[in-house]
């Protein structure tokens, strides 16, 4: 304890490893079950964690289904909340972790106090900026060897904001403007995350830019008309689940039956594959990203 206090005085944020007893107690408290794959979605208040979990579980936020995660402008989660997959046969569980900044917990304690060391995979969700808590989560994920994915939410709205910066609110919007806004958004987001990772002495990694509407479509087994990294994110998360602690027979059966992501989605991911890695506008799959006639767009 004294070493921890001395380190804090020097501005060094300590790494705290839970005991075996704490680890097992946390698994019990959060409903961890062997044979299932447990995803945690964490980030600052208002970043869209509940919306993302709803989308992965095939829900729009306005659904009246009682199983929908509560969403709102202010933080709606005060404790880690567990959301099983809608199909009990699917080996996935989603956890909504309270937003940092709404709790009186220093960023270096956030990971441990939320019990995030028990999860099989952590999605670090950002909205407008990358925070110290995001960095702390990524560092702890590396320590505990937990795969972590950086995701930026609300991409449709962010790109609309860029379009307004380019042409103003009431000017006509051409496909060229849409393309420019998309490219600016991708470039600026990638640059911000890369710089923040470098400053934190963390290895460079991809940031997935997504919007909930496209994710809901994918979760239903359909191909979205407009997307950036949503297909990639779903595909990569499924790949992560397949190679880690999940029950192999359950996972094989999942794909055979087309339960969580239908056979349509599986074939989409395999067919698009490498072309999805580059969200540019030269290949035919990306051209569908734009719609003429003033229709909705990213």
């Amino acid at each position: 304890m004294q070493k921890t206090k001395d380190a804090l005085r020097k501005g060094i944020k300590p790494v705290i490893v839970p005991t075996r007893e704490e680890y097992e107690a946390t698994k019990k408290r959060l409903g961890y079950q062997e044979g299932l794959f447990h995803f945690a979605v964490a980030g600052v208040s208002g970043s869209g964690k509940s919306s993302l979990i709803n989308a992965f579980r095939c829900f729009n936020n306005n659904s009246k289904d009682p199983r929908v995660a509560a969403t709102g402008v202010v933080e709606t989660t005060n404790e880690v909340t567990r959301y099983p997959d809608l199909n009990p046969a699917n080996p996935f569980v989603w956890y909504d972790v309270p937003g940092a900044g709404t709790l009186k917990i220093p960023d270096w304690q956030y990971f441990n106090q939320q019990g995030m060391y028990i999860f099989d995979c952590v999605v670090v969700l950002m909205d407008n900026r990358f925070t110290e808590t995001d960095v702390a989560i990524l560092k702890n994920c590396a320590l505990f060897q937990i795969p972590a994915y950086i995701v930026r939410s609300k991409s449709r709205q962010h790109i609309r904001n860029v379009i307004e910066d380019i042409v103003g609110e009431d000017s006509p919007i051409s496909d060229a403007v849409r393309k420019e806004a998309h490219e600016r958004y991708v470039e600026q987001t990638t640059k911000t995350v890369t710089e923040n990772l470098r400053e934190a002495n963390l290895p460079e990694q991809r940031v997935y830019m997504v919007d909930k509407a496209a994710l809901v479509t994918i979760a239903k087994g359909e191909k979205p008309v407009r997307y950036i990294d949503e297909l990639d994110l779903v595909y990569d998360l499924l790949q992560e689940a397949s190679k880690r602690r999940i029950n192999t027979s359950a996972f094989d059966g999942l794909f055979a039956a087309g339960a969580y992501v239908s056979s349509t989605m599986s074939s989409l991911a395999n067919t698009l594959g490498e072309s999805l890695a580059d969200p540019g506008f030269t290949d035919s799959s990306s051209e569908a990203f734009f719609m003429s006639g003033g229709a909705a767009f990213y």
Side-chain angles (χ1 to χ4, degrees):
M1 180 61 70
Q2 187 58 46
K3 288 183 179 179
T4 299
K5 291 180 179 179
D6 292 342
L8 285 172
R9 290 192 191 100
K10 297 176 182 178
I12 302 171
K13 296 175 181 179
V15 173
I16 301 175
V17 179
T19 64
R20 169 56 62 180
E21 291 75 17
E22 289 172 333
Y23 183 80
E24 294 300 331
T26 300
K27 287 175 68 174
K28 183 177 180 180
R29 174 172 61 86
L30 296 180
Y32 188 99
Q33 293 178 253
E34 298 299 334
L36 301 182
F37 195 85
H38 305 76
F39 293 96
V41 181
V44 298
S45 172
S47 58
K49 300 184 300 298
S50 298
S51 295
L52 188 72
I53 290 173
N54 284 336
F56 280 131
R57 297 169 68 238
C58 256
F59 283 131
N60 289 303
N61 288 342
N62 60 359
S63 172
K64 302 301 182 183
D65 193 297
R67 296 168 295 178
V68 171
T71 60
V73 176
V74 297
E75 182 66 31
T76 55
T77 304
N78 295 316
E79 58 185 23
V80 178
T81 308
R82 187 180 191 272
Y83 294 97
D85 195 272
L86 296 183
N87 185 341
N90 293 348
F92 300 131
V93 183
W94 302 91
Y95 287 82
D96 194 341
V97 181
T102 62
L103 306 172
K104 296 179 180 179
I105 303 174
D107 53 31
W108 59 273
Q109 292 181 345
Y110 177 80
F111 188 92
N112 280 49
Q113 291 207 13
Q114 299 306 312
M116 294 178 67
Y117 46 77
I118 71 159
F119 295 118
D120 300 305
C121 179
V122 173
V123 174
V124 180
L125 193 63
M126 59 176 287
D127 183 5
N128 290 309
R129 60 192 180 90
F130 209 61
T131 69
E132 287 189 9
T133 301
D134 298 331
V135 169
I137 292 172
L138 292 171
K139 285 185 174 180
N140 278 281
C141 283
L143 172 69
F144 288 94
Q145 298 184 354
I146 299 171
Y149 290 79
I150 302 172
V151 176
R152 188 174 190 190
S153 61
K154 308 177 185 178
S155 289
R156 177 181 297 185
Q157 184 58 54
H158 289 311
I159 291 178
R160 286 175 176 169
N161 293 341
V162 176
I163 288 173
E164 289 185 6
D165 290 342
I166 296 172
V167 298
E169 293 186 16
D170 300 320
S171 301
I173 302 169
S174 65
D175 283 354
V177 168
R178 294 188 178 97
K179 178 179 178 180
E180 181 183 351
H182 173 96
E183 290 175 342
R184 278 196 198 181
Y185 172 67
V186 170
E187 181 182 356
Q188 291 170 358
T189 299
T190 303
K191 180 181 178 182
T192 296
V193 171
T194 299
E195 290 176 349
N196 279 272
L197 291 174
R198 186 183 300 118
E199 290 173 3
N201 293 317
L202 286 167
E204 185 174 333
Q205 70 178 89
R206 179 177 181 178
V207 52
Y208 297 81
M209 286 155 267
V210 305
D211 195 81
K212 62 186 178 185
L215 287 172
V216 170
T217 301
I218 293 168
K220 292 178 178 178
E222 303 168 4
K223 178 182 175 181
V225 175
R226 299 169 294 278
Y227 56 87
I228 304 179
D229 296 326
E230 292 89 349
L231 281 164
D232 267 0
L233 177 63
V234 171
Y235 182 75
D236 289 348
L237 289 177
L238 289 175
Q239 289 293 308
E240 193 68 63
S242 71
K243 69 185 182 185
R244 282 181 59 85
R245 296 200 289 257
I246 201 164
N247 180 292
T248 304
S249 60
F251 194 82
D252 290 343
L254 172 69
F255 275 102
Y260 175 67
V261 176
S262 71
S263 57
T264 304
M265 175 55 212
S266 298
S267 63
L268 277 174
N270 290 326
T271 301
L272 292 174
E274 307 241 342
S275 69
L276 292 177
D278 180 2
F281 296 89
T282 56
D283 59 68
S284 58
S285 65
S286 294
E287 290 297 334
F289 198 87
F290 295 114
M291 295 182 67
S292 59
F297 55 85
Y298 273 13

